[in-house]
Amino acid sequence: MSEEIKKCIQIQKEHSEGALKHLEAELQKIRAGKAAPQMLDGVRVDYYGTPTALSQVAAINTPDAKQITIQAWEKNMLGTIEKAILAANLGFTPQNTGELIRIVIPPITEERRRDLMKRAKAEGENAKVAIRNIRRDTNEDIKKLEKSAGLGEDVVKTSEKEIQELTNKFIERIDKILVDKEKDIMTV
């Protein structure tokens, strides 16, 4: 196998690992039952006209398993932070005490667990689509190499088979991650 093909397959591995890391980061935001600062990772606050990550304008803590507190660096940001959390539609309501924002994580109903599982499965499907798109791009790169470098048809078929096997491995890993997440979400 030529160096160019090995490089294409290595790039496929790196991009696929990136898709898996992204999936894991997205699934971290889907928390079942236990409060965690990561639940607010996707929240963007309008900080003087610039959309800024909540963690950049406030300290986020979890004093216990059912509560998140947010201490803004600037008190005048409390209202803006509260609006950003509500706009993020995370399934809970912030309480502004004037000093900090308190979020009580409600017990998750069966229906909410199913909704969280749907969200997790949608993220998993997005990751699978990304893996398949990476496979397509890698196969296109191999086809270009076939024309430009004059690779033999058998070499191209062998590399396409290897690319497909790699794709299958990553999709299996995604399925395993989703099974683990489903256990986490559905455990009361």
Side-chain angles (χ1 to χ4, degrees):
M1 195 178 296
S2 72
E3 286 300 313
E4 293 93 354
I5 291 176
K6 286 180 183 175
K7 186 176 179 187
C8 287
I9 291 173
Q10 183 60 35
I11 290 170
Q12 178 192 12
K13 284 181 185 173
E14 290 169 6
H15 284 98
S16 297
E17 286 291 342
L20 275 183
K21 281 188 175 72
H22 177 75
L23 171 65
E24 288 170 344
E26 289 302 310
L27 291 179
Q28 280 289 317
K29 296 175 189 173
I30 302 173
R31 286 286 177 171
K34 193 173 136 190
Q38 293 88 350
M39 295 170 84
L40 301 172
D41 279 353
V43 177
R44 294 266 181 246
V45 178
D46 181 23
Y47 186 68
Y48 300 107
T50 306
T52 307
L54 176 59
S55 60
Q56 299 292 312
V57 297
I60 305 168
N61 296 304
T62 51
D64 59 53
K66 297 288 180 196
Q67 184 173 234
I68 299 174
T69 58
I70 303 161
Q71 180 75 50
W73 305 134
E74 301 172 28
K75 275 192 182 176
N76 64 337
M77 290 298 297
L78 286 173
T80 308
I81 292 170
E82 185 178 13
K83 287 177 189 165
I85 293 168
L86 286 169
N89 195 20
L90 299 172
F92 39 75
T93 307
Q95 300 163 346
N96 188 343
T97 66
E99 295 290 318
L100 56 87
I101 294 174
R102 188 177 314 277
I103 299 172
V104 177
I105 307 298
I108 297 179
T109 63
E110 188 65 30
E111 182 181 341
R112 180 74 176 139
R113 287 180 194 279
R114 281 196 287 273
D115 288 344
L116 291 173
M117 200 54 231
K118 282 181 190 172
R119 230 174 93 197
K121 285 182 179 179
E123 289 297 337
E125 195 54 44
N126 290 342
K128 288 179 182 181
V129 168
I131 298 290
R132 291 181 190 121
N133 286 340
I134 293 165
R135 174 192 60 197
R136 183 198 62 221
D137 294 345
T138 306
N139 281 333
E140 286 174 3
D141 291 344
I142 298 291
K143 294 274 188 218
K144 288 177 189 171
L145 282 174
E146 178 183 23
K147 291 176 183 160
S148 67
L151 296 175
E153 209 174 295
D154 56 336
V155 173
V156 172
K157 292 290 181 196
T158 304
S159 57
E160 285 176 348
K161 185 178 176 186
E162 187 175 336
I163 290 165
Q164 183 60 47
E165 288 171 1
L166 191 60
T167 300
N168 292 343
K169 285 179 187 172
F170 277 100
I171 288 179
E172 285 172 16
R173 285 175 61 188
I174 290 170
D175 288 336
K176 183 181 178 339
I177 290 169
L178 287 176
V179 166
D180 292 345
K181 189 63 180 180
E182 184 173 11
K183 285 179 190 170
D184 182 38
I185 290 173
M186 296 312 226
T187 303
V188 179

